[in-house]
């Protein structure tokens, strides 16, 4: 088999066989293919597309390119969840302890943030002492004891995806539906989940900016799950404004704790309950989504979700005192408040630009190796549809210097549109595909 023939075949729009895709992924993993041939393949796949069978082959070959985790010795259905990435999207820190507290084991491998999108691992690392580097053996021991593990993707999880993602990032081939689907699903399959709830974000702060492309991506991933014997549900949810009010690592931990304490409601809670309820449904812990939401809300009211979060902190070295004393979490010293420059209603938010503002504070990274300021970020004061008066705060910024605050404030001013008439609010849960 020859890589040039494979590239030509895809370039000319033909379907690749399992063997050809396996040959390509093996070459990527072993390092025998040069970057220019891998990139040519990616561009051909981007332009000519891949069908479900090709995408499923790519997914499984990428999943097998490293360790395949086996959590079969943990009793019960292991439910996982993945978000395609958004701003103030802290749902994992809320739903993982809630779902685990109902008896469904949650062993979740998460990634770090990149660009406008935050990452669960960075948020957890903002908690003093919290250890995200957990081995397979430790994960099994933790899950048997407590039902919950939140851990970093190990180095040997889908090495082919790491290589392909890095090249996609610099060759204009990130936003290809089959390549995104294979990247996400290969990691989830290798991570050993029995069922996966996908949160496919749609809107100004998401990879998929319109419902049609979000639906296509969701359907491809759900079909692929069926193809490879995993139960998959996709929830398409809106990202036309930050999901929660806090953006930034320790700030998002605080908001998640407030939700678990029952002090904060709104979109972040609604999406967390919806995703969590679908995890319970996949695990057959409940019979309907409504029952699932009810049970999870009950576990907020009776404190079982918060108790599970505390258990997670104790298990993985995090200081449990943060639950009662947020001053134990980092907070950057310089602040700036962004004020409304006219009266009216918040009619539009460019969420990617708000994510960019968060990057300016130091809370996010523009490139993979960039260090983070865990105490930096933004507290939003307004949501879409809110009325504002001139001089009223729109957002509060935290950063390590006044320059960073000013730079973030400029992006925030551009990102929020104030109009004279209130516009209809966008839907939060746009579609469920299962
Ligand atoms: N998230 C991933 O893990 N991979 C992609 O390709 C896009 C989003």
């Amino acid at each position: 088999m020859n890589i040039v023939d494979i590239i030509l075949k895809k370039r000319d729009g033909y379907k690749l066989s399992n063997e050809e895709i396996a040959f390509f992924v093996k070459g990527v993993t072993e390092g025998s293919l040069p970057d220019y041939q891998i990139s040519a393949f990616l561009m051909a796949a981007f332009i000519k597309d891949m069908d479900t069978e090709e995408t499923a082959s790519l997914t499984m070959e990428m999943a097998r390119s490293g360790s395949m985790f086996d959590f079969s010795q943990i009793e019960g259905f292991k439910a996982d969840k993945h978000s395609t990435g958004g701003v103030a999207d802290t749902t994992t820190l809320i739903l993982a302890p809630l779902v685990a507290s109902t008896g469904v084991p949650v062993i979740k491998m998460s990634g770090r943030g990149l660009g406008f999108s935050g990452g669960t691992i960075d948020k957890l690392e903002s908690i003093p002492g919290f250890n995200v580097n957990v081995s397979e053996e430790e994960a099994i021991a933790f899950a048997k004891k407590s039902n919950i593990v939140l851990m970093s993707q190990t180095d040997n999880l889908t090495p082919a995806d790491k290589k392909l993602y890095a090249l996609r990032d610099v060759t204009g081939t990130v936003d290809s539906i089959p390549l995104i689907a294979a990247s996400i699903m290969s990691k989830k399959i290798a991570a050993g989940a029995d069922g996966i709830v996908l949160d496919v974000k749609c809107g100004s702060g998401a990879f998929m900016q319109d419902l049609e492309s979000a639906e296509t991506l969701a359907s491809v991933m759900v079909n692929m799950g069926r193809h490879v014997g995993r139960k998959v549900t996709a929830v398409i949810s809106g990202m036309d404004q930050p999901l929660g009010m806090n953006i930034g690592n320790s700030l998002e931990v605080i908001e998640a704790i407030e939700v678990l304490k029952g002090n904060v409601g709104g979109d972040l809670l609604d999406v967390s309950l919806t995703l969590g309820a679908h995890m319970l449904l996949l695990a057959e812990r409940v019979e309907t989504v409504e029952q699932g939401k009810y049970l999870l809300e009950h576990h907020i009211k009776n404190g079982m979700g918060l108790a599970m979060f505390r258990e997670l902190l104790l298990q993985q070295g995090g200081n449990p005192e943060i639950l009662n004393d947020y001053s134990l979490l980092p907070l950057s010293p310089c602040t700036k408040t962004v004020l409304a420059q006219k009266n009216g209603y918040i009619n539009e938010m460019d969420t990617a630009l708000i994510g960019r503002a968060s990057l300016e504070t130091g809370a996010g990274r523009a490139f993979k190796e960039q260090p983070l300021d865990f105490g930096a970020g933004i507290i939003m004061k307004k949501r879409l549809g809110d009325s504002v008066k001139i001089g009223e705060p729109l957002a509060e910024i935290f950063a390590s210097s006044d320059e960073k605050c000013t730079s973030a404030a400029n992006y925030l001013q551009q990102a929020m549109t104030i109009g004279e008439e209130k516009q209809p609010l966008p839907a939060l849960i746009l579609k469920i595909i299962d």
Side-chain angles (χ1 to χ4, degrees):
M1 216 172 282
N2 182 320
I3 186 64
V4 179
D5 293 338
I6 296 174
I7 295 170
L8 286 173
K9 192 170 170 187
K10 190 73 295 201
R11 184 202 69 180
D12 294 340
Y14 293 104
K15 176 173 173 150
L16 297 177
S17 66
N18 284 347
E19 291 72 30
E20 286 162 332
I21 290 172
F23 179 85
F24 169 71
V25 175
K26 188 164 181 276
V28 172
T29 311
E30 289 177 350
S32 57
L33 293 181
D35 287 359
Y36 51 82
Q37 286 180 320
I38 302 173
S39 304
F41 176 99
L42 291 171
M43 187 56 84
F46 180 95
I47 292 171
K48 292 296 159 102
D49 213 352
M50 294 176 109
D51 71 9
T52 305
E53 263 179 77
E54 289 175 293
T55 311
S57 293
L58 183 63
T59 304
M60 289 314 291
E61 291 305 326
M62 283 164 67
R64 289 191 206 104
S65 69
S67 297
M68 296 283 280
F69 287 80
D70 179 7
F71 294 125
S72 54
Q73 39 172 310
I74 296 157
E75 263 177 53
F77 184 96
K78 273 74 67 190
D80 200 347
K81 164 259 169 189
H82 180 87
S83 159
T84 56
V87 178
D89 178 8
T90 323
T91 56
T92 295
L93 298 188
I94 297 163
L95 63 80
L98 279 176
V99 169
S101 74
T102 71
V104 173
V106 178
I107 309 168
K108 181 159 166 43
M109 283 192 202
S110 295
R112 297 185 185 280
L114 190 61
F116 62 75
S117 169
T120 300
I121 290 303
D122 299 324
K123 296 170 201 178
L124 287 170
E125 281 191 334
S126 77
I127 301 172
F130 197 96
N131 174 30
V132 295
N133 298 313
V134 174
S135 67
E136 186 174 1
E137 294 71 36
E138 281 171 324
I140 291 171
F142 287 161
K144 280 184 177 167
K145 185 167 160 279
S146 69
N147 242 8
I148 187 169
V149 189
L150 295 184
M151 61 194 277
S152 181
Q153 287 160 3
T154 54
D155 284 346
N156 52 1
L157 187 86
T158 59
D161 178 60
K162 291 191 179 77
K163 174 83 189 171
L164 291 176
Y165 197 88
L167 285 175
R168 283 168 59 207
D169 214 19
V170 291
T171 56
T173 51
V174 167
D175 46 349
S176 144
I177 285 177
L179 297 180
I180 295 176
S183 166
I184 292 175
M185 292 297 287
S186 61
K187 285 180 287 227
K188 294 286 123 185
I189 289 166
D194 297 319
I196 304 148
V197 174
L198 296 164
D199 183 12
V200 179
K201 299 289 185 194
C202 172
S204 63
F207 274 120
M208 300 294 134
Q209 307 233 325
D210 58 86
L211 184 57
E212 201 186 330
S213 39
E215 264 188 82
T216 311
L217 175 64
S219 307
V220 167
M221 291 195 284
V222 170
N223 281 335
M224 214 163 23
R226 197 172 301 141
H227 224 83
V228 300
R230 311 280 165 120
K231 286 187 181 177
V232 181
T233 300
V235 174
I236 302 179
S237 67
M239 207 6 100
D240 286 310
Q241 61 182 325
L243 185 58
M245 300 305 272
N246 290 11
I247 309 165
N249 298 290
S250 61
L251 290 174
E252 290 186 45
V253 170
I254 293 171
E255 192 170 17
I257 296 169
E258 285 294 295
V259 173
L260 286 171
K261 285 180 176 173
N263 296 338
V264 169
D267 290 354
L268 177 59
L269 172 66
D270 289 352
V271 174
S272 303
L273 291 178
T274 303
L275 298 171
H278 279 282
M279 288 167 80
L280 297 186
L281 201 58
L282 286 186
E284 296 179 11
R285 174 69 178 78
V286 295
E287 283 170 13
T288 64
V289 176
E290 287 63 39
Q291 276 178 9
K293 284 188 184 172
Y294 180 83
L295 183 60
L296 297 174
E297 275 188 294
H298 185 59
H299 280 217
I300 291 179
K301 288 194 189 109
N302 66 14
M304 284 178 72
L306 188 67
M308 185 56 81
F309 192 78
R310 187 183 158 82
E311 177 85 20
L312 172 76
L313 293 175
L314 287 169
Q315 164 183 285
Q316 289 180 232
N319 182 355
E321 291 307 314
I322 64 154
L323 297 177
N324 306 316
D325 183 358
Y326 298 144
S327 73
L328 296 171
L329 287 163
L331 187 65
S332 301
C334 301
T335 64
K336 187 175 178 74
T337 306
V338 179
L339 304 174
Q341 293 177 344
K342 58 181 183 178
N343 295 330
Y345 296 90
I346 308 284
N347 279 344
E348 220 181 295
M349 292 202 201
D350 182 333
T351 315
L353 215 52
I354 297 175
R356 180 62 213 264
S358 145
L359 222 94
E360 294 297 308
T361 67
R365 41 173 93 72
F367 56 93
K368 227 172 139 198
E369 290 76 24
Q370 193 174 352
L372 293 184
D373 177 355
F374 287 130
I378 301 163
I379 299 181
M380 301 297 291
K381 301 290 181 187
K382 295 284 175 187
R383 296 197 69 74
L384 284 178
D386 284 355
S387 70
V388 282
K389 292 213 161 36
I390 193 162
E392 236 191 302
L394 297 178
E396 192 178 358
I397 300 168
F398 298 85
S400 60
S401 71
D402 291 336
E403 290 73 32
K404 287 181 182 171
C405 285
T406 303
S407 175
N410 290 339
Y411 280 105
L412 281 168
Q413 284 288 5
Q414 283 175 54
M416 298 171 80
T417 307
I418 300 173
E420 281 175 15
E421 287 187 20
K422 187 172 171 165
Q423 300 297 318
L425 293 180
L428 182 61
I429 304 294
L430 298 155
K431 200 158 181 176
I432 311 284
I433 299 179
D434 55 15

